[in-house]
Amino acid sequence: MWIGWIEFDILLGDVQSLKEKRSVIRPLLAEVKRRFEVSVAEVGDHDQYRRSQVGAGLVSADRAHLVEVLTAVERFVAARPEFELLSARQRELHSED
């Protein structure tokens, strides 16, 4: 069994409050979950309205599928015009590691 996750450091555009931040982040989380069938959540920078840490995770039978899905998630997030992707960190582990 393979376990993988990806973490994104995101700089939001013209956002002036935590409420506006939620209006950008919630649709992103919902679309990533719907489109790629992964677990996804805001995992950091909760109190900063122009920054967000978002993570997505997946369990798979084989590493190739895991990498393919996480790479597709990264491409999708990077293509969003409403924010700037500052960094993405991806990790995969095998259950026997």
Side-chain angles (χ1 to χ4, degrees):
M1 172 174 68
W2 285 90
I3 304 135
W5 64 93
I6 190 163
E7 299 172 83
F8 302 107
D9 185 8
I10 297 171
L11 177 64
L12 301 172
D14 188 27
V15 172
Q16 303 299 320
S17 69
L18 292 175
K19 185 176 182 179
E20 286 182 43
K21 175 185 179 178
R22 283 192 307 273
S23 73
V24 173
I25 294 298
R26 278 187 181 162
L28 170 68
L29 299 179
E31 184 64 17
V32 168
K33 183 176 183 174
R34 184 192 69 77
R35 185 176 290 216
F36 300 102
E37 297 180 354
V38 296
S39 296
V40 62
E42 184 177 14
V43 296
D45 291 332
H46 298 285
D47 57 345
Q48 297 182 24
Y49 61 86
R50 292 215 52 229
R51 294 289 291 271
S52 182
Q53 301 285 326
V54 173
L58 175 67
V59 175
S60 179
D62 63 273
R63 184 178 182 274
H65 174 71
L66 182 92
V67 171
E68 178 184 328
V69 171
L70 294 179
T71 301
V73 171
E74 181 177 0
R75 281 194 308 268
F76 176 77
V77 171
R80 299 294 290 238
E82 62 269 25
F83 51 76
E84 179 182 350
L85 180 59
L86 299 176
S87 69
R89 295 169 300 282
Q90 185 172 325
R91 182 89 191 263
E92 305 95 31
L93 290 175
H94 192 270
S95 59
E96 295 178 3
D97 288 348

